[in-house]
Amino acid sequence: MLSMEHNDILTRVGPGTPMGELMREYWIPACLPNELKPDATPTRLKLLGEKLIAFRDSQGRIGIMDHRCPHRCASMFFGRNEEGGVRCAYHGWKFDVDGNCLDQPNLPEDARFTDRVKAKAYKVAEKGGIVWVYMGKRKVPPPLPALEVLSLPDDERMVMCHMRDCNWLQSLEGDIDTSHFGFLHVGGVQADDVDPDSMHRWGVLDRAPRYHVKETDWGTMYDAYRPAGPGSHFHRFAHYMFPCFALVPDGTFGNMIQATLSVPLDDSHTMTYVCAWSKRDIALRTLKDGSTIPGAALIRDFLPDTTDWLGRWRLKANRDNDYLIDREEQASGKSFSGIQGIGQQDQAMVESMEGPDEGIVDRGFENLAVSDRMIAITRRRIVAAAQAHQKDGTVPATVDRPELTRGARGGSFVCSDTVDWLDAYAEELRKAQSPAGFLLQAAE
């Protein structure tokens, strides 16, 4: 059982909170580049509990800043994005992407003090099809993330996002929980329905894997393993990476280049980014006759965007309509959940968790089992990191050495059951395909 104190450490992300301050040591995703057009209307953003605006100026530079004008705190969302900066609609004060005050037109020229006022603006960078923001206190930000997927050729990388009405940890824990795959996603599939040549069929034959879990420089990793015929094991590896990233096991290890980023907007809303190599081999999606597994199709229908703080990338299938669950299909056994789409099945589960605060689960109500070892150890690792940072400013190794994440790869493979799990992982990592040209090597 997780204590209320530790649950608060894990879930609260606003300014001054242990987890919020730890996350601010990292670059985090803010939005997609195509959401911001030069001289277009500013976009409202929420990140780590802060209300911000994002805009792209006349030269294509991106600014992300506190939405309040430093003059009288009117929202810069209503401002004019023009000629290299955003001009407040209240009194015309203008600020560039770095927060510098460019103009104070409501003041006589001899009373202006543009050099002594500045908007609270954050450092911004574009990498891997994502706009990143650094919200920490360092004058010189740490290096940008070095996830393998971010260095893929642009035409071979997919980036998708959607908002979740839940705390970031609920979203992330769904990505590092492996045994649910055999139920929520493919619970209606029998072994005879699957291509006998697919190694992923072993996950259907045995839906109760055993586990190895290990703390790493980047966070934690697990191996869910089960028999795969005489003398062999089927392994599924996945990772948690500070501050809020996961590498999932849902594919073939040799080319499974994918990451899921669960970015806290506030304590009860998360923007989930899925970044993936378009040429990867994913796990079970079709039956042996070539038809799609009922419920496994990729469905991403969105509601129209609104201009409020939480108005972007909201799925049509949501808690208000019970995720469009089809009870007849569920009862027939064709689909274990009756919900269409792998991602939407996950979303329904993590959003359905309830606690005294909307969007944050009451973990004191849980009864963890051996299948939750990765969850328990990851929580412990995150709490320890947040407490260490709060105590003396210690940061996880990947803040300043993001290249350490190149020792991580998610995915599945089959090997001899006499080989140690970490030795098997290191060997598969050595053989893995890396179109980004990375030298992949397991951590010591």
Side-chain angles (χ1 to χ4, degrees):
M1 181 183 296
L2 192 69
S3 70
M4 184 177 296
E5 176 191 1
H6 284 178
N7 198 43
D8 280 346
I9 289 174
L10 288 164
T11 57
R12 305 298 181 183
V13 296
T17 62
M19 195 66 218
E21 292 303 301
L22 180 63
M23 285 198 174
R24 283 167 171 81
E25 293 285 355
Y26 287 88
W27 288 88
I28 63 170
C31 61
L32 301 184
N34 61 11
E35 293 186 79
L36 306 174
K37 306 296 183 185
D39 290 339
T41 302
T43 296
R44 283 189 175 113
L45 291 181
K46 239 190 176 187
L47 285 173
L48 302 182
E50 297 186 32
K51 291 181 177 180
L52 311 170
I53 62 160
F55 66 97
R56 194 183 291 272
D57 72 8
S58 309
Q59 289 74 47
R61 299 174 301 176
I62 294 174
I64 294 180
M65 63 178 63
D66 191 299
H67 83 108
R68 296 166 296 183
C69 177
H71 176 211
R72 295 271 301 283
C73 297
S75 181
M76 297 291 286
F77 168 75
F78 297 102
R80 299 166 61 93
N81 181 12
E82 59 187 17
E83 299 176 347
V86 174
R87 189 181 294 277
C88 181
Y90 201 6
H91 298 96
W93 288 26
K94 185 176 181 179
F95 299 88
D96 67 12
V97 296
D98 297 315
N100 298 309
C101 186
L102 304 179
D103 194 12
Q104 296 170 319
N106 72 317
L107 302 180
E109 287 196 18
D110 60 358
R112 296 178 184 181
F113 54 103
T114 56
D115 60 332
R116 289 186 282 125
V117 65
K118 193 164 185 173
K120 184 180 180 181
Y122 292 120
K123 299 291 185 182
V124 179
E126 293 185 60
K127 182 175 182 178
I130 292 174
V131 176
W132 299 81
V133 60
Y134 175 69
M135 299 172 66
K137 298 176 181 177
R138 297 187 185 192
K139 290 185 178 180
V140 178
L144 283 159
L147 300 177
E148 186 179 9
V149 70
L150 302 178
S151 296
L152 293 171
D154 288 342
D155 61 351
E156 295 182 8
R157 180 182 52 248
M158 302 183 299
V159 180
M160 302 174 286
C161 68
H162 60 278
M163 196 184 76
R164 286 180 166 171
D165 289 332
C166 67
N167 183 261
W168 77 275
L169 190 64
Q170 287 159 236
S171 180
L172 179 127
E173 287 182 348
D175 294 323
I176 58 173
D177 173 336
T178 187
S179 66
H180 81 265
F181 186 85
F183 299 91
L184 178 65
H185 301 316
V186 295
V189 178
Q190 304 304 313
D192 290 343
D193 299 330
V194 182
D195 183 347
D197 295 327
S198 170
M199 69 173 170
H200 300 290
R201 65 190 292 268
W202 298 111
V204 176
L205 278 167
D206 183 347
R207 301 178 198 262
R210 297 185 181 274
Y211 296 86
H212 300 294
V213 183
K214 182 182 188 308
E215 294 189 16
T216 65
D217 286 336
W218 52 82
T220 53
M221 65 184 287
Y222 75 72
D223 167 30
Y225 65 98
R226 64 203 96 196
S232 296
H233 274 158
F234 174 56
H235 297 268
R236 298 181 89 227
F237 279 86
H239 304 260
Y240 158 70
M241 292 178 170
F242 286 107
C244 51
F245 307 155
L247 304 187
V248 299
D250 188 30
T252 301
F253 189 94
N255 60 25
M256 187 59 186
I257 305 173
Q258 180 169 322
T260 305
L261 322 175
S262 293
V263 182
L265 306 185
D266 56 24
D267 291 345
S268 54
H269 298 89
T270 301
M271 192 67 78
T272 300
Y273 297 79
V274 178
C275 310
W277 190 28
S278 60
K279 299 182 179 180
R280 75 200 185 289
D281 295 323
I282 57 177
L284 292 177
R285 294 294 188 275
T286 59
L287 304 175
K288 64 183 179 183
D289 63 4
S291 62
T292 300
I293 292 173
L298 178 62
I299 298 175
R300 296 179 60 81
D301 294 330
F302 293 94
L303 295 171
D305 282 353
T306 65
T307 59
D308 62 82
W309 300 109
L310 301 169
R312 302 160 40 247
W313 302 109
R314 298 168 303 151
L315 291 170
K316 285 185 178 179
N318 56 62
R319 59 166 42 138
D320 291 335
N321 53 33
D322 294 327
Y323 307 93
L324 303 177
I325 186 170
D326 185 332
R327 291 293 189 181
E328 290 185 5
E329 184 169 271
Q330 184 184 38
S332 73
K334 293 180 180 179
S335 167
F336 194 80
S337 70
I339 298 170
Q340 297 302 310
I342 295 284
Q344 291 173 174
Q345 292 164 2
D346 286 328
Q347 187 132 338
M349 297 301 102
V350 299
E351 288 186 348
S352 72
M353 300 173 179
E354 294 185 352
D357 294 320
E358 183 180 353
I360 302 178
V361 66
D362 178 4
R363 291 181 170 83
F365 197 74
E366 295 177 328
N367 291 276
L368 300 187
V370 293
S371 59
D372 304 303
R373 285 188 63 200
M374 178 65 168
I375 302 293
I377 291 173
T378 298
R379 290 175 184 175
R380 185 181 68 194
R381 179 88 160 97
I382 298 172
V383 167
Q387 290 177 325
H389 181 259
Q390 185 182 39
K391 179 181 178 181
D392 58 17
T394 301
V395 296
T398 49
V399 170
D400 294 297
R401 299 178 60 200
E403 70 278 2
L404 289 170
T405 59
R406 296 177 188 173
R409 171 71 72 88
S412 306
F413 59 82
V414 173
C415 73
S416 169
D417 61 10
T418 63
V419 179
D420 176 79
W421 71 286
L422 290 174
D423 290 340
Y425 174 80
E427 175 60 17
E428 292 296 323
L429 192 67
R430 185 188 65 80
K431 298 186 299 184
Q433 186 177 0
S434 179
F438 285 174
L439 175 63
L440 304 177
Q441 184 173 352
E444 297 294 332

